[in-house]
Amino acid sequence: MSTIVVVGAQWGDEGKGKVVDCLSARADMVVRFNGGANAGHTIVVAREEYVLHLVPSGAVREGAACVIGNGCVVDAGLLLDEYDDLRRRGIDLADRLFVSGFAHLVLPHHKAADGALEDSSSSPIGTTRRGIGPAYCDKYARYGVRVEDLLDAKDLRAKLEAAYAYRARWTGAGVYPPMEEVYGQLTEAGKRLAPFIVDTSLLINGYIAEGKNVLFEGAQGSLLDVDFGTYPFVTSSNPVAPFAAIGSGVGLDQLDYALGVVKAYLTRVGEGPFPTELSNSTGEYLRERGYEYGRSTGRPRRCGWLDLVPLRLAARVNGLHGAVVSKLDVLDELAEIPVCTAYRLREKIFNEMPLPVSLLAEAEPIYETLPGWKTDTSGITSWDDLPKKAQAYLRFIEEGCGVPVAGISVGQRRDQIIWLEEVF
């Protein structure tokens, strides 16, 4: 038996979907434990591309059970659209999709509130406008509607009435879609989703007890964590490895290995500090060569050099045992590759993230420049065949964050990954 937690170690978009898909070949179950449809995990099989927002990335592999855990927020309509799209493409999840009854629903008024907050704010976060933040707000205010409420029409109506009354107290009653319309949509969605709604904690723990391999899939990235990220420019959940236990209902002693996915350079979507951001032709080069556009929104990603300072934070709060460095091939043509090792800030040197975190906006990166390898790595399948300078770059990352490199991704396809360690 083995359990692995895969998380993003940066600001998201590190390539978690591909890593989870590759590991799913040996997994009996894949569990999403946080976030919602603000995720966009991309998997390329042959020439076929799949972009998954809610369904776990193990869906594209035959056999693995796919679980949406209690730590997620679920847009019922979007989940059904994703299910139907996969079925049209030959992937039938009828017997292997499971949704926690304790997960909360993302409702139309959450999306309306999300957009309104972004439009009216003098300092917008840059959310996906998919209602994730407001859904989590209602969860913790105890006015949320849970997936299990879809199983009881009477209870669903009562929960919706309470949720609408709560929202109307501070936004006005006429702002959101009519409740009866939403109730009708949810009752129809509930009929289709009912076979998938279970106590997923019981199911997951059963798999673990039977000695099966379980893979936990985080969404977003550690630097977007609502507690440890660059607050307030963060997501609304905890995309760090310890939350896999809470967001799926297993004990901490059941988590064996934390694997962080680290992009070979750095990107960010939305607002917030980004000390190594490149607002020049090099940043544009990274964006185009790496196809750095959001899979949920289509927004261009901000691009910059790798930054070891927040990566140390990610290594610490996740308890990372290993890392997969993704998109190494994007750097293949560069003659030199700067890496940020520390910050200069108010006449002091910071090797760790400053407090308050708002000071990050003033941080001046201190770079160490490594030589590029000027060699195509996209077809390389072993460590020994990598250029020596590429090996040196990877070792520099290991030493800089204290986490061994377990794998290297050199392209989008499943076969374009070099494993240095057998994590399953």
Side-chain angles (χ1 to χ4, degrees):
M1 178 272 291
S2 184
T3 57
I4 299 174
V5 185
V6 175
V7 293
Q10 294 158 314
W11 277 303
D13 308 309
E14 301 93 349
K16 298 179 291 296
K18 174 188 171 174
V19 173
V20 171
D21 172 63
C22 290
L23 292 173
S24 294
R26 299 187 63 180
D28 299 295
M29 173 182 282
V30 182
V31 184
R32 267 284 303 273
F33 63 82
N34 79 292
N38 50 343
H41 293 180
T42 304
I43 299 162
V44 177
V45 183
R47 295 186 178 182
E48 190 96 15
E49 181 178 271
Y50 302 86
V51 180
L52 303 175
H53 301 286
L54 274 169
V55 173
S57 297
V60 185
R61 295 278 187 180
E62 291 185 10
C66 294
V67 177
I68 298 174
N70 56 276
C72 296
V73 288
V74 178
D75 183 324
L78 195 148
L79 175 58
L80 288 170
D81 288 344
E82 200 162 290
Y83 174 89
D84 291 340
D85 179 64
L86 287 169
R87 191 169 187 176
R88 282 192 295 269
R89 299 171 73 177
I91 298 172
D92 191 351
L93 298 176
D95 297 321
R96 58 189 184 100
L97 176 65
F98 305 93
V99 184
S100 172
F102 300 156
H104 280 245
L105 290 170
V106 176
L107 302 172
H109 63 260
H110 293 138
K111 292 186 236 182
D114 200 356
L117 286 167
E118 285 290 287
D119 290 338
S120 63
S121 175
S122 59
S123 183
I125 302 299
T127 76
T128 59
R129 297 172 180 253
R130 295 199 169 188
I132 309 303
Y136 277 115
C137 283
D138 282 6
K139 171 180 178 175
Y140 290 107
R142 298 177 297 279
Y143 282 96
V145 180
R146 303 209 296 189
V147 170
E148 65 175 357
D149 297 324
L150 297 175
L151 301 176
D152 186 322
K154 183 178 179 181
D155 198 33
L156 175 62
R157 180 183 289 279
K159 295 286 182 65
L160 270 179
E161 287 173 349
Y164 265 70
Y166 168 67
R167 284 272 165 185
R169 292 179 201 170
W170 46 283
T171 56
V175 177
Y176 303 123
M179 196 205 81
E180 286 300 323
E181 178 183 317
V182 174
Y183 174 72
Q185 293 168 353
L186 289 176
T187 51
E188 289 304 310
K191 293 173 185 176
R192 292 194 60 196
L193 288 174
F196 308 121
I197 301 171
V198 299
D199 182 342
T200 53
S201 171
L202 193 62
L203 181 70
I204 297 164
N205 279 279
Y207 267 61
I208 294 172
E210 292 172 10
K212 295 181 177 179
N213 289 338
V214 179
L215 184 58
F216 297 88
E217 177 182 12
Q220 294 82 53
S222 302
L223 305 184
L224 294 174
D225 184 270
V226 72
D227 291 308
F228 295 103
T230 49
Y231 193 90
F233 301 101
V234 293
T235 193
S236 300
S237 65
N238 297 97
V240 289
F243 192 79
I246 299 169
S248 54
V250 303
L252 284 170
D253 62 337
Q254 302 296 333
L255 305 179
D256 297 330
Y257 189 100
L259 181 67
V261 186
V262 179
K263 195 177 289 185
Y265 49 102
L266 192 54
T267 62
R268 177 164 201 169
V269 173
E271 304 303 318
F274 187 171
T276 64
E277 183 173 11
L278 295 168
S279 302
N280 56 20
S281 59
T282 304
E284 184 64 26
Y285 170 83
L286 293 173
R287 181 180 301 112
E288 294 306 314
R289 183 167 169 80
Y291 193 68
E292 297 296 351
Y293 295 89
R295 306 321 297 263
S296 290
T297 63
R299 290 180 295 180
R301 297 174 185 144
R302 301 155 63 191
C303 297
W305 298 123
L306 182 65
D307 190 342
L308 295 178
V309 180
L311 195 52
R312 293 177 192 127
L313 168 68
R316 185 173 72 250
V317 300
N318 285 291
L320 294 180
H321 297 92
V324 172
V325 177
S326 66
K327 291 199 169 184
L328 186 73
D329 56 301
V330 173
L331 305 180
D332 283 349
E333 297 180 3
L334 298 177
E336 294 183 333
I337 307 169
V339 177
C340 176
T341 59
Y343 301 142
R344 184 175 289 106
L345 181 61
R346 297 185 179 181
E347 301 182 352
K348 293 182 180 180
I349 302 300
F350 287 78
N351 294 304
E352 301 286 348
M353 295 283 273
L355 283 177
V357 73
S358 58
L359 290 177
L360 202 61
E362 303 175 29
E364 176 190 347
I366 298 174
Y367 288 109
E368 184 164 338
T369 300
L370 283 73
W373 41 92
K374 302 285 285 183
T375 304
D376 182 2
T377 61
S378 63
I380 292 176
T381 58
S382 73
W383 170 264
D384 291 339
D385 290 335
L386 282 171
K388 297 300 181 185
K389 291 176 181 178
Q391 292 180 2
Y393 185 75
L394 293 163
R395 292 305 185 207
F396 189 81
I397 295 172
E398 283 185 328
E399 293 167 8
C401 68
V403 179
V405 172
I408 306 137
S409 177
V410 291
Q412 282 191 310
R413 299 193 315 270
R414 281 174 170 172
D415 61 320
Q416 290 178 298
I417 192 164
I418 304 164
W419 289 106
L420 308 184
E421 179 183 341
E422 191 172 297
V423 295
F424 247 151

